[in-house]
């Protein structure tokens, strides 16, 4: 079975390609390298000792994408490609709507044209906004707090309408919680350009002395220690969830959403302390004001993914912290 992966050179995309190849799938990557590097393709091949087809193409380009579908016999698609920085989406909303919506619309048009109707979409827990209670189940009300999140929610709605219009489609909407960590090999991992916005890449840069100090955004939340609580999930576990989703869309028609998280919440301080302990490294930090738009706590109910996809995250927080640091040391 041949799977086309848009954004396959990115953080979650690359780990998913590894799991696909190791599971015996053929992989075709389409990535315009706007936030990733081509050598990721070689690294995926080194880890798996298998070949990958790579096309440096923008998913918004109908003609080029159409050519790929003409050349390759694609059976299913996993769609990761998209802009993902929350702060940037607030300052450049039109760029976010244009890119994330246009790429998805183009992709589904080309897929329809070639009668490829199995799709796994990379959504986010951001579609739950500030949840009223915890843990979050998939039937919670959906609303967003920034344009990035709105693109994810809009795409979910577009795909639901698509299914209503043509129920030959099989679509899985995967709502990720907070993916961190890296592949054990230390060859692929998270490598954001510039100063990171997210917690783990920031901690890693402080540990590596590329940045002087971590700012912890608020210690007055109603949580176990006052700092924000999130459901951190190892990116390899997350990648494995995509294989289960591919199996699901290959066998049943329909559209459904699944939370991919661990179901456990850790605070910022717990993450920082675990990171220091397991890696035996110092991460200086200071407490600062809350970050606007942040919520106190967020973690998943993973029951649905467990029951319907037969998937469960297995790696613990120690492993996530070790692997995130290992990747950076390995790539100094
Ligand atoms: C954010 C996005 C989410 C996106 C996810 C992964 C929002 C509201 N949510 O999630 O849509 O899918 O990133 O890209 O923006 N923290 C610090 N110091 C830092 C960085 C973070 O204390 O330098 C804290 C935050 O306040 C939060 C926790 O660490 O409590 C996690 O933050 P982060 O990694 O940015 O992820 P989210 O905000 O949960």
């Amino acid at each position: 079975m041949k799977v086309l992966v848009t954004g396959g050179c990115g953080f979650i995309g690359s780990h998913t390609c590894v799991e696909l190849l190791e599971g015996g799938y053929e992989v075709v990557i389409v990535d315009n390298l706007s936030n990733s590097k081509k050598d990721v393709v070689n690294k995926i091949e080194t880890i798996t000792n298998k070949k990958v087809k790579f096309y440096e193409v923008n998913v918004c380009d109908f003609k080029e994408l159409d050519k790929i579908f003409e050349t390759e016999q694609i059976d299913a698609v996993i769609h990761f490609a998209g802009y993902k920085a929350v702060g940037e989406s607030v300052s450049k909303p039109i760029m976010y709507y244009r890119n994330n919506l246009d790429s998805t619309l183009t992709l589904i048009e080309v897929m329809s044209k070639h009668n490829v109707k199995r799709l796994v979409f990379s959504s986010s827990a951001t579609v739950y906004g500030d949840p009223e209670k915890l843990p979050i189940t998939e039937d919670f009300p959906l609303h967003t707090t920034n344009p990035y999140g709105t693109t994810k929610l809009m795409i979910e709605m577009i795909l639901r309408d698509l299914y209503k219009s043509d129920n030959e489609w099989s679509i899985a909407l995967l709502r990720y919680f907070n993916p961190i960590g890296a592949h054990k090999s230390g060859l692929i991992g998270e490598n954001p350009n510039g100063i990171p916005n997210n917690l783990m890449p920031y901690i890693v840069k402080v540990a590596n002395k590329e940045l002087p100090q971590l700012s912890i955004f608020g210690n007055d939340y109603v949580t176990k220690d006052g700092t924000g609580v999130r459901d951190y999930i190892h990116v390899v576990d997350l990648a494995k969830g995509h294989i289960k989703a591919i199996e699901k869309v290959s066998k049943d028609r329909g559209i459904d959403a699944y939370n991919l998280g661990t179901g456990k919440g850790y605070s910022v301080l717990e993450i920082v302390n675990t990171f220091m302990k397991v890696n035996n490294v110092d991460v200086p930090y200071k407490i600062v004001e809350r970050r606007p738009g942040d919520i106190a706590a967020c973690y998943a109910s993973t029951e649905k993914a467990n029951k319907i996809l037969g998937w469960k995250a297995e790696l613990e927080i120690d492993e996530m912290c070790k692997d995130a640091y290992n990747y950076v040391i390995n790539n100094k």
Side-chain angles (χ1 to χ4, degrees):
M1 183 165 170
K2 201 183 265 192
V3 181
L4 183 139
V5 182
T6 76
C9 293
F11 175 45
I12 306 171
S14 57
H15 288 81
T16 301
C17 290
V18 166
E19 295 305 318
L20 283 167
L21 290 160
E22 288 183 342
Y25 293 88
E26 287 180 75
V27 171
V28 176
I29 295 178
V30 179
D31 198 308
N32 68 349
L33 305 178
S34 73
N35 191 26
S36 57
K37 297 202 176 73
K38 195 176 163 222
D39 71 344
V40 169
V41 175
N42 305 328
K43 291 178 173 165
I44 294 169
E45 293 182 335
T46 305
I47 293 170
T48 59
N49 203 17
K50 298 207 168 128
K51 285 273 161 221
V52 177
K53 256 307 194 30
F54 171 69
Y55 292 90
E56 187 176 338
V57 161
N58 187 331
V59 184
C60 298
D61 188 334
F62 186 98
K63 268 196 186 153
E64 287 300 317
L65 200 60
D66 190 40
K67 269 198 236 160
I68 298 170
F69 277 77
E70 293 278 339
T71 314
E72 310 282 350
Q73 286 297 313
I74 303 296
D75 297 296
V77 174
I78 308 182
H79 180 36
F80 292 105
Y83 294 152
K84 60 169 189 179
V86 174
E88 186 183 52
S89 81
V90 175
S91 56
K92 297 175 180 165
I94 306 309
M95 185 175 105
Y96 269 67
Y97 289 119
R98 169 73 71 201
N99 184 64
N100 291 4
L101 298 181
D102 208 8
S103 53
T104 307
L105 293 170
T106 306
L107 175 67
I108 55 187
E109 275 176 348
V110 175
M111 287 176 71
S112 293
K113 185 177 163 199
H114 294 272
N115 206 28
V116 178
K117 295 183 176 176
R118 294 166 179 156
L119 176 65
V120 174
F121 173 62
S122 160
S123 187
S124 166
T126 193
V127 298
Y128 297 115
D130 192 353
E132 270 174 25
K133 52 185 195 279
L134 294 167
I136 298 171
T137 52
E138 288 82 353
D139 55 1
F140 270 31
L142 305 177
H143 70 101
T144 57
T145 53
N146 57 71
Y148 155 74
T150 309
T151 67
K152 292 290 181 195
L153 184 51
M154 288 170 91
I155 293 168
E156 286 200 4
M157 292 162 77
I158 290 168
L159 294 174
R160 287 188 190 277
D161 284 341
L162 175 69
Y163 177 72
K164 269 187 218 150
S165 73
D166 175 1
N167 53 27
E168 283 185 358
W169 280 84
S170 327
I171 303 171
L173 311 169
L174 302 184
R175 296 177 180 157
Y176 312 148
F177 282 70
N178 291 55
I180 58 171
H183 192 265
K184 276 263 169 275
S185 62
L187 289 175
I188 53 173
E190 190 170 18
N191 204 356
N193 293 329
I195 295 181
N197 299 301
N198 298 117
L199 181 63
M200 187 52 78
Y202 206 106
I203 290 178
V204 160
K205 283 204 192 268
V206 174
N208 204 22
K209 301 202 168 14
E210 290 170 60
L211 290 168
Q213 194 174 40
L214 170 74
S215 296
I216 295 185
F217 300 137
N219 65 350
D220 56 352
Y221 286 105
V222 187
T223 59
K224 43 187 139 183
D225 58 24
T227 64
V229 166
R230 297 289 184 275
D231 184 338
Y232 297 92
I233 171 167
H234 197 295
V235 65
V236 172
D237 273 334
L238 190 69
K240 289 181 176 161
H242 292 72
I243 313 305
K244 296 291 187 185
I246 281 287
E247 286 170 10
K248 170 76 179 153
V249 299
S250 299
K251 95 173 177 268
D252 302 316
R253 288 180 180 165
I255 179 163
D256 223 339
Y258 306 93
N259 288 340
L260 297 189
T262 63
K264 291 182 210 146
Y266 286 95
S267 73
V268 177
L269 276 173
E270 284 176 322
I271 296 293
V272 175
N273 289 328
T274 306
F275 189 95
M276 292 198 280
K277 190 180 87 206
V278 301
N279 293 313
N280 194 21
V281 66
D282 195 25
V283 178
Y285 65 83
K286 63 174 181 217
I287 308 289
V288 301
E289 288 294 285
R290 290 182 179 193
R291 179 171 67 177
D294 268 357
I295 58 177
C298 166
Y299 53 89
S301 159
T302 59
E303 213 170 292
K304 186 174 174 187
N306 195 348
K307 237 191 227 154
I308 301 181
L309 300 180
W311 170 89
K312 201 172 188 307
E314 282 166 358
L315 297 167
E316 295 292 336
I317 205 74
D318 287 20
E319 227 51 46
M320 303 183 208
C321 292
K322 269 191 223 162
D323 294 342
Y325 194 47
N326 177 48
Y327 171 67
V328 167
I329 294 178
N330 214 38
N331 290 277
K332 257 190 185 173

